[in-house]
Amino acid sequence: MKRVILMLAMVVLGGCMSRNAVDTKEADIVIKNGTVLTMNGEREVISEGVVVVKGNRIVEVGGADLAKEYSTKEVVDADGGIIMPGMINTHTHVSMTVFRSLADDVPDRLTRYIFPLENMMVSKEMSYLGALHGSIEMAKGGVTTMVDMYLYEESAAEAVKEIGLRGIMTQNIIKYPTADGKDGAAKIELAKEFIEKYRNDELITPGFGPHAPHTVTKEDLEIIRDLSKEYNLPVSMHVAETQKEFDKFKAEYGMTPVEYLDSIGLLNERFIAAHSIFVTDSDIELMKKRDVGVAHNMVANIKSAKGVSPALKMHDEGLRVGLGTDGPMSGNTLDIIGQMGYVAKVHKLANKDRSVMPPLKVVEMATIGGARAIHREDELGSLEKGKLADVVIVETKSANMVPIYNPYSALVYSANASNVDTVIVNGRVVVRGKELITYDERKSREMMKEFSERVEKIAETL
Ligand SMILES: [Zn+2]
């Protein structure tokens, strides 16, 4: 009899336990009390929304009641802020933070300062330090994924991973001798070593970064084309950035830079074209047909007075267009919020039509557009069930954010990077209450100060 009662008790208890497990589902992070810009297919906006994270994935997105369905390790109260997908910086050279603000607007800056300084000062340590510092800036500005290209890219990748960001890190390949190799072949070898180490990494996707059509030999471009196919890894490259480059290819090959790259077979779904300012209508058609991604770097392009890329036309014609900052010597800042206002305003001005670039379109480019540009829209760029948990909260309490009648408008025209309050990458909180929690920011600042004093001494002699 006693035994039966005990068994009955166990059955009842067991029943209760399994019912509980159904009633409250388990989560790691529940984000609540904010306006959720899902950026899903319907561009759904949920006021008083909730985003549920388990492990490194988003498991559910919905209204306020959703929070009650979960028992969670951590609740993040958005405090009325804007909850949005992590922003994607589709083109940068993060390690160059060490040279930021040096000789801005000097006409022969590239040959007088950048190349000599890079030859004298670039090392694995410099690549790491610059990337560490730049990643801190990006994290605190709401960038969760970057596409990078630089020398000693493996060292930059180490830093990006240490801060906790996602990176498509492409080893720079250029025909000239640089600190990390005497020619293109040496740098292709570096890329292969880096790829072997990082190809299965959760946050870092290694790849190839041929510098530009005119700075890499055709033979090296062919090797890169084959290797990128063999490894199924991305290629990022500056394309049609200057009038000079466009004219050179027309004169030498009777082709535009885009047509030249296509004749080699480089343009495909693994290719991310940075800039693409000097492109013809038929180039745009070709880029769409080849399904390439485009990194639109508005601020860097207007700072250097190069021109306005037809990125709006590309976006409207269905190309995969994301936003990029370019390196911190070109655009100085590395956050994407700082790009958005310029993207809206300059395209409107260039078209003399204020209706061509509504804020929603700009936020699309910063999030799901960036994910499409890197062909990762299945797992990044929007807040949807099953996607990777890269989430940003932008606070709406600072004076510049009050009042808000339209959240997209507030992000594009009112916000700045310092409004970013919380950043989650791959399900891990990287920034909380505007503070980086994955690294001691003071330490990186001190290292940067010491390095920049050395840069300054050398720059005085150039
Ligand atoms: Zn660049």
Side-chain angles (χ1 to χ4, degrees):
M1 186 67 187
K2 254 187 190 171
R3 213 166 133 202
V4 171
I5 290 169
L6 187 66
M7 277 175 73
L8 267 173
M10 280 172 76
V11 167
V12 170
L13 197 64
C16 285
M17 279 169 77
S18 64
R19 241 199 330 273
N20 268 346
V22 171
D23 284 347
T24 54
K25 295 170 273 188
E26 279 178 22
D28 289 318
I29 303 172
V30 170
I31 308 164
K32 60 178 196 177
N33 193 22
T35 302
V36 178
L37 308 184
T38 63
M39 302 312 290
N40 64 14
E42 292 73 43
R43 306 291 185 253
E44 197 181 344
V45 177
I46 310 168
S47 50
E48 293 292 315
V50 168
V51 176
V52 183
V53 174
K54 187 167 168 59
N56 67 344
R57 299 270 167 186
I58 294 168
V59 290
E60 228 173 325
V61 180
D65 289 345
L66 191 60
K68 294 177 200 146
E69 294 177 25
Y70 284 87
S71 63
T72 182
K73 290 182 188 141
E74 184 173 359
V75 174
V76 175
D77 185 347
D79 196 20
I82 295 168
I83 304 168
M84 66 183 289
M87 284 166 272
I88 296 172
N89 185 350
T90 56
H91 179 66
T92 189
H93 313 281
V94 62
S95 302
M96 293 183 83
T97 44
V98 301
F99 302 131
R100 170 159 51 197
S101 87
L102 179 82
D104 274 334
D105 301 330
V106 173
D108 55 351
R109 187 185 190 216
L110 191 70
T111 47
R112 183 173 164 191
Y113 290 102
I114 302 183
F115 288 155
L117 275 168
E118 282 193 329
N119 285 336
M120 284 186 269
M121 305 207 72
V122 174
S123 63
K124 288 182 181 175
E125 293 69 31
M126 173 269 175
S127 184
Y128 170 83
L129 170 63
L132 189 76
H133 195 76
S135 297
I136 293 172
E137 180 187 350
M138 279 194 244
K140 292 181 82 177
V143 172
T144 52
T145 299
M146 74 180 80
V147 181
D148 191 65
M149 174 211 287
Y150 203 57
L151 292 74
Y152 291 119
E153 192 66 6
E154 187 180 328
S155 303
E158 254 176 67
V160 171
K161 198 172 158 63
E162 198 168 342
I163 299 304
L165 297 187
R166 226 178 267 291
I168 293 179
M169 309 299 289
T170 65
Q171 166 65 37
N172 180 267
I173 297 158
I174 193 164
K175 63 185 175 187
Y176 310 116
T178 51
D180 60 350
K182 64 177 181 2
D183 56 12
K187 282 157 256 192
I188 289 173
E189 282 310 308
L190 267 186
K192 283 162 78 177
E193 283 169 29
F194 169 40
I195 286 166
E196 287 306 330
K197 255 196 218 170
Y198 276 88
R199 63 189 303 187
N200 296 315
D201 195 272
E202 216 180 351
L203 292 175
I204 303 297
T205 306
F208 301 92
H211 180 264
H214 55 294
T215 55
V216 185
T217 66
K218 195 173 175 200
E219 294 68 38
D220 285 344
L221 287 177
E222 285 165 351
I223 295 170
I224 292 164
R225 171 201 65 199
D226 295 343
L227 287 173
S228 116
K229 189 177 178 194
E230 186 188 323
Y231 289 112
N232 190 26
L233 287 173
V235 174
S236 81
M237 188 174 192
H238 300 107
V239 178
E241 187 178 355
T242 63
Q243 183 72 53
K244 207 170 144 193
E245 174 190 339
F246 185 90
D247 295 344
K248 181 186 159 68
F249 280 90
K250 273 293 203 191
E252 277 180 32
Y253 299 94
M255 288 188 260
T256 66
V258 169
E259 286 165 347
Y260 169 76
L261 294 175
D262 192 54
S263 74
I264 296 172
L266 257 177
L267 303 188
N268 54 43
E269 72 283 358
R270 291 180 299 277
F271 192 86
I272 305 157
H275 302 295
S276 309
I277 304 171
F278 298 93
V279 290
T280 63
D281 285 353
S282 71
D283 284 342
I284 293 176
E285 252 175 64
L286 186 57
M287 290 165 89
K288 188 178 177 192
K289 201 164 139 199
R290 298 286 183 252
D291 205 22
V292 303
V294 176
H296 178 33
N297 307 283
M298 175 61 89
V299 172
N301 295 343
I302 58 175
K303 183 186 169 220
S304 56
K306 282 183 184 135
V308 179
S309 148
L312 172 58
K313 182 180 163 72
M314 292 178 182
H315 174 89
D316 289 349
E317 291 186 7
L319 268 81
R320 299 169 171 270
V321 180
L323 302 182
T325 59
D326 208 351
M329 280 193 92
S330 309
N332 296 53
T333 55
L334 295 173
D335 68 274
I336 289 297
I337 294 182
Q339 298 285 318
M340 292 202 286
Y342 286 100
V343 170
K345 292 169 208 168
V346 176
H347 283 293
K348 290 194 285 185
L349 181 64
N351 284 279
K352 294 197 167 49
D353 180 352
R354 66 193 297 171
S355 72
V356 294
M357 200 54 141
L360 171 60
K361 211 187 268 191
V362 187
V363 178
E364 278 173 359
M365 286 185 180
T367 55
I368 190 70
R372 291 184 72 236
I374 59 173
H375 284 84
R376 300 271 303 266
E377 69 269 29
D378 289 348
E379 45 183 8
L380 298 171
S382 64
L383 302 179
E384 291 179 83
K385 184 178 177 171
K387 285 213 172 181
L388 289 166
D390 291 4
V391 190
V392 165
I393 302 173
V394 178
E395 53 87 4
T396 50
K397 296 278 191 286
S398 291
N400 67 306
M401 292 299 281
V402 180
I404 292 177
Y405 299 108
N406 176 318
Y408 296 115
S409 195
L411 282 174
V412 174
Y413 295 121
S414 311
N416 59 60
S418 69
N419 295 125
V420 171
D421 182 85
T422 303
V423 178
I424 296 168
V425 185
N426 209 36
R428 177 192 186 199
V429 180
V430 172
V431 174
R432 183 188 283 124
K434 301 192 179 185
E435 293 293 332
L436 184 79
I437 59 170
T438 51
Y439 193 89
D440 180 1
E441 197 180 340
R442 211 176 28 190
K443 200 171 132 196
S444 143
R445 201 163 47 229
E446 275 162 18
M447 289 192 288
M448 183 59 82
K449 188 170 176 284
E450 201 184 299
F451 194 92
S452 64
E453 282 163 5
R454 280 162 50 204
V455 172
E456 199 166 20
K457 275 206 187 93
I458 294 175
E460 277 166 11
T461 67
L462 297 173

